[in-house]
Amino acid sequence: MTRRTVTVLALGAFVTTLDNTIVAAGAPSIGRDLALDLGALQWVALGYMLPFAGLLLVAGALVDRWGRRRTLTAALLAFGAGAAAGGLAGTLWLLVAARVLQGVAAAFLVPGLLSLLRTNLDARGRTLGAAVWTACLAAALALGPALGGALSEYLGWGWIFFVNLPFVAAMLVLLPSTVPPGRAGGTRAPPLGAMALVTASLVLLTTALAEPRWAQPLLAAGALLGAGFVVRERRARERLIPAALTGNRVFAGSLGLQLLWGLGISGIFFFTPLLHQEFLGLGPVGAGLPLVLVAVAVVAATPLVPVAAARAGPHRTVAAGLAVVGAGLLALAAVNHLPQLGPRVPGMVLIGAGSAFTVPMTSHALDVVAERYSGTASGLLTAARELSSALGVALIGAVLTAVRAARLDSGAPAGSALAGGYTAGLLTAAGLTFAGALLATRVLRDRPAVISSPHDKRAVP
């Protein structure tokens, strides 16, 4: 059961994250074939990102109510159908519709799969499963741009979407022997009003990042709906987010750590291929390949994570991991003025190795919640990560753009100005990561008294 569960988690983490990054490298090919401008191409990515981020919280609650096997099977079939339709699409609207279908399906896949950490694995297995999940996330983030460029160049951009189908098929085969039938939660009708408020709020806030011209009204509307959701939750008898989660210090702290980590790392990952092309002179495929070093470092460090968490505790393990990530970002900043790839390797390795040791902020957060809330908890953790990714791109992008513009005004060459903006982004990300390290020493110190799962009925030491 443990091996099958970890395999399904690995496949799901990789394929749902890959669809966030693989399209960017193939966008020029899509634009040429479908005669799309940059604004239209943006919605090929947003069609996946918006429903994914906006529905995660709702999907987590529904997974608990509908049952994992039923929900995961339906989500996999929808994800595969969206991938096939996207690969065959001949118009923008069909392509965007296919991406929306994939995004909706991914919103149900991720919390449903993450909840298996809590229901299928014991305490040690949860740490291993979370480590594998994070390793696959990093691999997908690192490989996505290079893989998308290679598929578009040699097979055609449709294969950016067709490549999802083998993953879907493998997970459908493994699912019946991995996920038992039945429900984890109650049978009451879900709070539709709360779902509508939180989904609309998240979608508006995320869209505001992609449409600067409408940012202020979108942000205001999203914030207003978000405030309405909070007021509704405080007064409601049937809450979308159980008080057992919002009142849990460890779980709430883990959400904060997800936000800080994502704000820094996601923005840096997004702009690194651009820097490699404009400053280092690498091609579209080569610009993404150096990020593979980050994934290799994550995978290499992953086997050490369960041992470190058992000996040092989750709070010290996560704090040390975030501190190493911060050190890697500073190492990159120190050599970023050099137009060579070699000096950047140590920083990339540190970022990857440190990221591996942050996985207990997910596994430990799931340890402290009741099993009937595992889907909701997983949805919250993933929503925090996805939203922090979008916000991170906006934040690091704003810092990079401002510094780059100032350097251009002072007469610096374009490549040097971009490098200066990227260095400022690295320093900003490092500051956020070190803040996360300090937070981890405080909020993850508590440990659950009893873990209730099919495999672990003991008190946690």
Side-chain angles (χ1 to χ4, degrees):
M1 174 68 80
T2 298
R3 183 177 298 177
R4 291 193 300 270
T5 299
V6 171
T7 301
V8 170
L9 286 169
L11 293 171
F14 186 83
V15 74
T16 54
T17 305
L18 187 69
D19 267 43
N20 261 328
T21 59
I22 196 172
V23 170
S29 299
I30 297 173
R32 285 192 300 268
D33 284 359
L34 302 184
L36 306 178
D37 60 19
L38 184 60
L41 280 175
Q42 186 179 30
W43 284 100
V44 178
L46 289 176
Y48 183 79
M49 184 180 72
L50 290 179
F52 190 4
L55 290 173
L56 272 168
L57 185 55
V58 172
L62 292 177
V63 167
D64 288 336
R65 297 175 187 274
W66 291 348
R68 292 179 183 85
R69 183 191 288 186
R70 180 190 307 173
T71 306
L72 286 172
T73 300
L76 282 170
L77 292 173
F79 194 88
L88 297 171
T91 66
L92 172 64
W93 296 113
L94 180 57
L95 182 55
V96 171
R99 295 288 286 164
V100 169
L101 180 59
Q102 282 191 291
V104 171
F108 284 87
L109 279 174
V110 169
L113 291 170
L114 270 177
S115 70
L116 299 181
L117 288 174
R118 183 68 179 84
T119 59
N120 284 27
L121 304 175
D122 59 18
R124 185 176 179 84
R126 279 190 288 275
T127 301
L128 172 63
V132 169
W133 180 275
T134 300
C136 290
L137 292 181
L141 285 170
L143 293 173
L147 181 60
L151 289 172
S152 298
E153 184 173 349
Y154 298 113
L155 295 177
W157 63 263
W159 284 91
I160 292 175
F161 306 104
F162 294 147
V163 75
N164 292 303
L165 298 178
F167 292 92
V168 171
M171 294 173 70
L172 285 171
V173 170
L174 290 171
L175 207 61
S177 60
T178 305
V179 185
R183 301 173 179 173
T187 58
R188 291 183 181 180
L192 296 178
M195 289 183 175
L197 284 172
V198 70
T199 300
S201 174
L202 293 177
V203 168
L204 287 170
L205 291 173
T206 309
T207 305
L209 299 174
E211 293 288 348
R213 294 171 298 175
W214 303 98
Q216 290 186 350
L218 288 172
L219 286 172
L224 183 62
L225 291 175
F229 169 73
V230 172
V231 172
R232 189 264 173 209
E233 284 286 277
R234 289 182 177 275
R235 298 177 178 177
R237 174 180 295 180
E238 180 71 8
R239 299 179 60 171
L240 179 62
I241 305 175
L245 297 182
T246 56
N248 187 302
R249 179 172 175 263
V250 173
F251 184 81
S254 296
L255 291 178
L257 290 174
Q258 291 275 10
L259 287 169
L260 287 171
W261 183 78
L263 277 172
I265 292 299
S266 297
I268 294 300
F269 262 64
F270 184 85
F271 290 104
T272 296
L274 175 64
L275 179 86
H276 288 173
Q277 292 184 60
E278 299 296 328
F279 187 54
L280 303 187
L282 300 176
V285 177
L289 285 176
L291 291 177
V292 175
L293 290 171
V294 179
V296 170
V298 171
V299 173
T302 292
L304 304 176
V305 176
V307 177
R311 292 184 178 179
H315 60 297
R316 294 190 186 94
T317 302
V318 173
L322 289 169
V324 171
V325 171
L329 292 166
L330 291 180
L332 280 179
V335 301
N336 193 52
H337 63 286
L338 302 173
Q340 293 96 32
L341 183 60
R344 303 168 192 274
V345 170
M348 291 183 179
V349 171
L350 286 175
I351 291 171
S355 294
F357 286 89
T358 65
V359 297
M361 69 184 175
T362 298
S363 58
H364 190 55
L366 292 174
D367 277 349
V368 302
V369 303
E371 184 174 323
R372 64 183 180 277
Y373 298 135
S374 59
T376 304
S378 300
L380 275 168
L381 289 167
T382 311
R385 188 187 73 237
E386 289 297 319
L387 289 173
S388 70
S389 296
L391 291 169
V393 171
L395 173 64
I396 302 301
V399 172
L400 187 154
T401 301
V403 174
R404 176 178 175 272
R407 297 214 169 188
L408 286 173
D409 290 342
S410 66
S416 177
L418 176 63
Y422 185 79
T423 298
L426 287 168
L427 295 175
T428 302
L432 292 167
T433 306
F434 284 126
L438 292 174
L439 180 64
T441 62
R442 301 183 62 85
V443 300
L444 297 185
R445 187 180 299 274
D446 295 339
R447 300 189 180 191
V450 177
I451 299 298
S452 175
S453 80
H455 305 288
D456 188 9
K457 301 294 184 182
R458 303 162 297 163
V460 174

